[in-house]
Each structure stands twice: as C-alpha cells, then as structure tokens.
Amino acid sequence: MSLAVHTPDSVAGVLAALDDGAVVIAGGTHVMPRLNTEASDVSALVSLRRAGLSGVEMLDETTVEIGAATTLTELANAPELAFLRSALDAIASPTIRNLATVGGNLFVPQPYGDLAVCLLALDATAELADGRSVEVAQAEGLVTAVRFAIPKEWRFLKAMRRRLNSASIVTVAAVLDAPRIALGGVARTPVRARHAEAALADGVEAAAQAALHDIDPFDDAYASAWYRRRVVPVHVRRALLGEEA
C-alpha cells in the first residue's frame, strides 16, 4: 500500500491536509504498528513534527501547557515536571519514549497510555485546534496541547509483569490535595475512581475497597479480569500510602 506523507509547518496546514483517508501521525508508535498489521483505508499521513506543537511552558506559577507533539523524553527532561518522571520511566522503552508524544498517548487503548491516566488524575484539559478546551477524557479531533496545574501531593504506581517496558496490569495516579484518583489497565479507557475519591475521607483502606466500584476489567495477555479485580485494592492502597508496587 502506498501512502502520501504530508509535513505541514502550521496547525492550519495540518487541518487543510486532513481530507478523507488521512490520519494524523506524531511519533507513530501507535499508528504505524496498526497500519502494518491491520487492513486499513488510510491514504495519507499528516505529520505534526513541523507544526510547532512541541514544548513545555509555564503559563503562571502553577499552570503548565505542554504541546501535543512533545515527546515523552522531552517531558521527562523538563525540570518543572520532575514529579512525572517515575511515571514516564515506566512507559515502554527509551527508544519508544523518544518518539511517543503527549497528544498521541491520549488515544492509545488500555492497558497502554499511562500518561493519559496521569493527565486524568491531574484534571488536565486538552486544547483543540478549533479553539475548544475539553477534559482529556473527551478529547477528539486535533489536540494541540494539554494544560494542568502542578500538584502539591502526587502519587503514581504501576503494576506490570516486568519491572520496565511492559503494559499495565493496574496503574494508579492520584493528586492527594484534590483529591483525584485515576486508574489504568482496569477498563478499556482510563477511569476516574470517583467512588475511591469519595471514600478517601474514611481512610485509605476504604478508598482502596471502593475502587472496585470504579473498574470494568478485561482479559488480555498480561492479566485476567479476575486478577485485575483482585489486586486493584492492593495497588490503590500502596499508591495512596506512597509504597512501591
């Protein structure tokens, strides 16, 4: 199959190139494997690499904006985002992180997309090319950036088969000063654990057990739905207490 590849130098150029059969590509870590292994009617790729959508900027003392085409490696190297480094280090391999982007991570299906879980816990907004600002869970169309406030008390834990470079069995991201808790690996999309958040006032154990009402686990090559359900309270408890998986 022959594909045209467009590399516009602006958001307007990206939008103009997105005709029928064209899809956006940034790092390509999700799009290219699908194109190589699945039947597709994609006729063109529209790259974001030259569209001016990378970088990390502090908008004020607490609010950060991250360009959608910023790579995970660039994100990990940003000193103002040091709290995210443990989460980023748990995603895939250095080679993949050199390519994978912030915006692309929003559209990766679970049990991948750990950064999307973090952004959900951070109550991040996705800035769209049409000028709208929406919750990251509602992002669709061309995402140009994400914004969120730097948290005061942050927790992250990822349970996986290998120490590094493995998909999630359970991912927990939490902002304790909110509180907000998000879970990955336990439903087809990242979920806000609102039952767990509400129960946190009664203690960590109550929140850990309440998280069972927030999930819809599935079977895959990494774990069964039964196993995920069984270990969710354990990992939510550990995350909230600041323990390792």
Side-chain angles (χ1 to χ4, degrees):
M1 178 176 64
S2 178
L3 289 176
V5 179
H6 305 288
T7 55
D9 59 5
S10 66
V11 172
V14 172
L15 294 174
L18 283 175
D19 55 10
D20 290 343
V23 298
V24 169
I25 184 171
T29 58
H30 177 54
V31 171
M32 292 310 299
R34 289 180 60 196
L35 291 180
N36 289 332
T37 59
E38 301 176 11
S40 170
D41 58 0
V42 173
S43 60
L45 300 176
V46 183
S47 173
L48 300 183
R49 285 303 188 190
R50 297 181 182 175
L53 296 179
S54 63
V56 177
E57 179 184 0
M58 293 300 300
L59 301 180
D60 55 38
E61 291 184 356
T62 60
T63 306
V64 63
E65 179 173 284
I66 304 167
T70 306
T71 68
L72 302 190
T73 296
E74 292 171 323
L75 206 62
N77 290 334
E80 55 269 62
L81 299 177
F83 75 95
L84 279 176
R85 285 176 188 159
S86 63
L88 294 166
D89 286 345
I91 298 174
S93 65
T95 302
I96 295 297
R97 295 195 295 271
N98 286 341
L99 295 171
T101 63
V102 173
N105 207 259
L106 297 178
F107 301 99
V108 175
Q110 292 292 303
Y112 306 98
D114 296 308
L115 179 60
V117 180
C118 294
L119 293 173
L120 189 59
L122 289 164
D123 199 27
T125 60
E127 310 304 314
L128 306 183
D130 62 11
R132 289 182 298 138
S133 179
V134 301
E135 297 177 359
V136 288
Q138 306 300 320
E140 57 183 20
L142 180 60
V143 176
T144 59
V146 296
R147 293 179 185 173
F148 57 84
I150 304 295
K152 295 178 180 178
E153 293 187 78
W154 172 253
R155 297 286 189 274
F156 177 83
L157 180 148
K158 179 179 178 181
M160 46 190 164
R161 287 297 182 194
R162 297 189 300 272
R163 181 67 176 172
L164 297 172
N165 196 13
S166 182
S168 171
I169 295 175
V170 179
T171 297
V172 186
V175 177
L176 297 188
D177 44 299
R180 289 187 301 269
I181 303 169
L183 303 175
V186 293
R188 289 301 179 183
T189 60
V191 296
R192 273 286 296 274
R194 297 190 184 276
H195 289 87
E197 292 170 0
L200 192 54
D202 296 322
V204 168
E205 185 60 36
Q209 294 300 322
L212 291 170
H213 298 291
D214 295 306
I215 66 174
D216 184 18
F218 53 88
D219 298 326
D220 65 7
Y222 301 98
S224 66
W226 176 89
Y227 182 76
R228 284 184 161 100
R229 180 172 293 278
R230 187 167 181 85
V231 300
V232 158
V234 174
H235 294 306
V236 171
R237 182 189 309 112
R238 288 175 174 172
L240 295 177
L241 293 174
E243 299 176 355
E244 295 185 0

